[in-house]
């Protein structure tokens, strides 16, 4: 067997694989852990990967009484789902790319709108303590933006509670006159994605799903009409397999799936808990915030009164926590000059990988691939996983329960290799983000 050299810490940051203990979302208190698979068992559906997609799929299969076994390489929430920025965005940025889906586009958008509160609904239904809050979202800009105006009109027509706002409203929402224009979505908000993912897994287990941790899948081979999914110490014989591994890189089974995506490393950080007067200076409304059009420092305030933000690290420098925290502080001081004397310290810094289906940010939509007869992959959730993961996991579970894969709101596609997988990363890390930082520094956006 090939033995791999251990990753250095900087390599692990760069690969988005730094120990999940570094994630600011992981609580201090011990959580339920899942034992490895041992021995040979059988089931109807094997789910590979327990992130937001796999956890929701498992939960909704269990809800429908379908026998499901979930195999997770580490523990639930170990991937991007335990490492993200916590935004629950209940609208889509751009519907244009959906045109290619024909009639299915309307079905998808209707489904998305109907279930846009799925994060909050699942937390309420299953008593998941995911620190989820419907605190709304603000997209803040330095000057009027036609694209935001059009977006507000479009989603208002769909019945969304969103308004174009100017300086006085933004001052009330964000405690600053730095921004002159924006959208106030009284929809969506924040969640602790690690706790939410784990909460879905626990609920699924309570309803009969079998979940195994520390069980990386090593092989997936056909056995008659069924599939045998193997781990180091056991195997599962199953009718169907659904791969929910996000970035598939490094997986020995169906390795071509790794070529369907544009991976991008992102970093995130949390401050230590801040006193109310500092938070009031930064964000009296406590809404989730993004800057338009750069999206440089998305920000949520969590239940522990911490600021949590994310950005894209410089090429090869994902481990330089202090550098990105300094950028963030400089941004805060520019946008909220009252914070210059505040003691704002970093509590946690971590990285993760997003797997995107497009090299164009707003054209990025999740994919449902038919890999082989009986094998599907729900992946490439991009930067929308907090809502898309639970939503699409539910849709696919309902489709599988009724034996009609095409009933899923996503089109079932053939995996297509992308020509230059590193293209998105190159554009983003080398060009767009450095430019956005300069634009932000000079207030040019
Ligand atoms: C820094 C950052 C910020 C982000 N911010 C946001 C945000 O604010 N809002 C938002 O909606 N989205 C955000 N995202 C995106 C979101 O986190 C992802 O879209 C989502 O988590 C993907 O979920 P997933 O279930 O597809 O994958 P993952 O969470 O990555 O889960 C895949 C799982 O598969 C497991 N696995 C892999 N290989 C194997 C194997 N061989 N056998 C068994 N298991 C395996 C992994 O261990 C992992 O647990 C962000 C992402 C990052 C990295």
């Amino acid at each position: 067997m090939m033995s791999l050299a251990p990753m250095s810490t900087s390599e692990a940051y760069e690969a988005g694989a730094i120990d999940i203990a570094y994630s600011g979302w992981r609580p201090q208190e011990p959580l339920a852990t899942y034992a490895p698979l041992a021995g040979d068992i059988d089931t109807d559906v094997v789910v590979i990967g327990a992130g937001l997609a796999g956890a929701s799929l498992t939960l909704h299969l269990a809800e429908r009484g379908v026998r499901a076994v979930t195999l997770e390489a580490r523990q639930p929430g170990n991937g991007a789902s335990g490492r993200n920025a916590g935004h629950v965005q209940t609208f889509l940025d751009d519907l244009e790319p959906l045109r290619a889906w024909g009639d299915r586009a309307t079905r998808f958008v209707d489904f998305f709108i109907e279930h846009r509160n799925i994060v909050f609904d699942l937390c309420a239904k299953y008593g998941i303590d995911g620190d989820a809050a419907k605190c709304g979202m603000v997209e803040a800009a330095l000057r009027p933006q036609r694209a935001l105006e059009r977006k507000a009109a479009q989603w208002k027509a769909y019945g969304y509670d969103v308004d174009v706002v100017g300086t006085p409203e933004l001052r009330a929402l964000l405690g600053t006159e730095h921004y002159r224009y924006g959208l106030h979505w009284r929809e969506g908000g924040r969640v602790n994605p690690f706790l939410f993912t784990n909460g879905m897994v626990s609920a699924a287990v309570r309803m009969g799903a079998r979940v195994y941790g520390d069980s990386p899948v090593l092989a997936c081979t056909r056995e008659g009409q069924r599939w045998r999914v193997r781990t180091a110490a056991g195997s599962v014989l199953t009718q169907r397999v659904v791969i929910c591994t996000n970035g598939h890189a490094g997986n020995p089974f169906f390795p071509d799936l790794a070529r369907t995506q544009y991976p991008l490393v992102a970093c995130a950080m949390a401050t230590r808990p801040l006193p109310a007067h500092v938070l009031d200076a930064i964000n009296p409304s406590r809404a989730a915030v993004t800057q338009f059009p750069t999206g440089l420092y998305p920000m949520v305030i969590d239940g522990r009164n911490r600021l949590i933000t994310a950005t894209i690290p410089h090429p090869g420098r994902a481990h330089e926590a202090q550098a990105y925290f300094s950028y963030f502080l400089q941004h805060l001081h520019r946008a909220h000059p009252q914070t210059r004397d505040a003691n704002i310290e970093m509590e946690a810094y971590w990285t993760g990988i997003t797997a995107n289906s497009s090299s164009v940010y707003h054209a990025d939509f999740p994919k449902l691939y038919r890999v082989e007869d009986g094998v599907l992959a729900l992946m490439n959730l991009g930067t929308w996983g907090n809502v898309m993961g639970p939503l699409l996991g539910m849709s696919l579970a309902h489709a599988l329960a009724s034996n009609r894969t095409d009933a899923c709101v996503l089109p079932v596609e053939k995996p297509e290799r992308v020509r230059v997988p590193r293209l998105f990363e190159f554009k983003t890390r080398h060009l767009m983000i450095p430019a956005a930082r300069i634009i932000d520094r000079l207030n040019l956006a």
Side-chain angles (χ1 to χ4, degrees):
M1 192 187 231
M2 189 172 67
S3 76
L4 295 172
M7 269 189 197
S8 74
T9 311
S10 57
E11 276 170 349
Y13 276 114
E14 193 63 29
I18 192 74
D19 195 310
I20 193 70
Y22 288 92
S23 166
W25 296 116
R26 207 183 183 300
Q28 297 295 317
E29 308 79 55
L31 272 184
T33 53
Y34 298 87
L37 174 70
D40 303 322
I41 58 173
D42 72 280
T43 190
D44 295 329
V45 181
V46 165
V47 179
I48 306 179
L52 286 151
S56 169
L57 177 60
T58 311
L59 171 61
H60 290 98
L61 286 170
E63 253 186 7
R64 295 272 160 132
V66 178
R67 292 189 319 145
V69 167
T70 299
L71 300 171
E72 163 54 48
R74 306 291 288 270
Q75 292 291 326
N78 180 75
S81 303
R83 302 164 187 263
N84 74 40
H87 281 235
V88 177
Q89 182 178 315
T90 55
F91 54 88
L92 303 168
D93 282 309
D94 190 357
L95 299 182
E96 207 47 37
L98 292 178
R99 275 178 187 272
W101 293 14
D103 291 349
R104 211 172 262 273
T106 312
R107 219 173 91 193
F108 176 82
V109 174
D110 288 349
F111 187 83
F112 180 89
I113 291 171
E114 184 184 349
H115 298 289
R116 64 190 188 265
N117 286 316
I118 189 163
V119 174
F120 310 110
D121 293 346
L122 287 177
C123 286
K125 183 170 178 185
Y126 290 107
I128 297 172
D129 185 7
D131 191 24
K134 276 189 189 172
C135 49
M137 281 184 79
V138 176
E139 287 184 88
L142 295 180
R143 47 190 60 85
Q145 299 280 352
R146 292 274 306 163
L148 287 183
E149 195 182 327
R150 276 197 300 273
K151 184 153 71 166
Q154 181 172 44
W155 291 91
K156 239 181 191 322
Y158 283 131
Y160 276 56
D161 194 357
V162 54
D163 280 316
V164 173
V165 287
T167 308
E169 294 94 338
L170 287 164
R171 188 194 314 115
L173 288 162
L174 303 181
T176 173
E177 297 196 348
H178 183 71
Y179 303 108
R180 302 279 160 84
Y181 190 86
L183 297 188
H184 181 202
W185 301 83
R186 292 176 203 83
E187 305 254 352
R190 67 144 208 265
V191 71
N192 176 326
F194 180 85
L195 290 179
F196 176 51
T197 302
N198 274 273
M200 285 193 283
V201 171
S202 308
V205 169
R206 289 200 297 276
M207 282 187 295
R210 287 172 287 171
V211 176
Y212 298 93
D214 300 317
S215 301
V217 169
L218 303 174
C220 210
T221 47
R222 210 190 280 277
E223 227 173 83
Q225 297 292 308
R226 298 202 277 175
W227 288 90
R228 169 97 42 204
V229 183
R230 290 182 197 280
T231 65
S235 77
V236 193
L237 192 61
T238 180
Q239 302 286 347
R240 291 205 177 94
V241 180
V242 186
I243 298 165
C244 297
T245 51
N246 191 21
H248 200 72
N251 276 318
F253 57 101
F254 307 121
D256 270 2
L257 278 176
R259 285 297 305 263
T260 66
Q261 58 205 190
Y262 297 93
L264 177 67
V265 66
C267 58
M269 57 213 108
T271 66
R272 290 193 193 286
L274 295 170
H277 71 272
V278 175
L279 294 177
D280 287 344
I282 295 168
N283 185 340
S285 68
R286 308 294 193 260
V289 183
T290 64
Q291 299 83 27
F292 189 91
T294 61
L296 254 191
Y297 299 106
M299 205 192 307
V300 297
I301 297 175
D302 78 346
R304 287 183 52 218
N305 291 333
R306 302 177 306 164
L307 293 177
I308 290 161
T309 185
T311 188
I312 307 297
H314 292 296
R317 290 168 51 194
H319 58 288
E320 292 182 8
Q322 206 53 54
Y324 307 110
F325 191 61
S326 298
Y327 288 144
F328 174 59
L329 275 189
Q330 287 162 24
H331 164 80
L332 265 189
H333 294 161
R334 273 194 302 278
H336 306 270
Q338 329 81 294
T339 60
R340 286 200 175 124
D341 298 326
N343 182 22
I344 302 177
E345 289 177 336
M346 182 165 57
E347 181 182 87
Y349 174 86
W350 63 97
T351 57
I353 296 278
T354 67
N356 308 276
S357 63
S358 168
S359 62
V360 179
Y361 188 69
H362 285 151
D364 185 39
F365 278 89
K367 294 285 184 184
L368 177 60
Y369 297 121
R370 186 189 155 282
V371 184
E372 295 269 356
D373 270 347
V375 181
L376 296 167
L378 173 59
M379 51 199 290
N380 299 352
L381 267 53
T383 47
W384 322 115
N386 283 341
V387 174
M388 289 293 188
L391 192 110
L392 297 174
M394 175 173 77
S395 174
L396 182 56
H398 293 176
L400 291 174
S402 61
N403 265 324
R404 284 193 46 221
T405 310
D406 67 339
C408 180
V409 285
L410 281 181
V412 187
E413 297 176 51
K414 210 166 124 269
E416 293 278 355
R417 287 168 76 108
V418 303
R419 278 224 216 120
V420 190
R422 290 282 155 196
L423 179 65
F424 185 50
E425 179 179 43
F426 183 85
K427 267 188 352 189
T428 311
R429 291 179 87 179
H430 287 262
L431 307 172
M432 286 160 56
I433 294 292
R437 285 204 179 101
I438 294 170
I439 287 169
D440 181 63
R441 207 170 300 145
L442 302 177
N443 289 339
L444 293 176

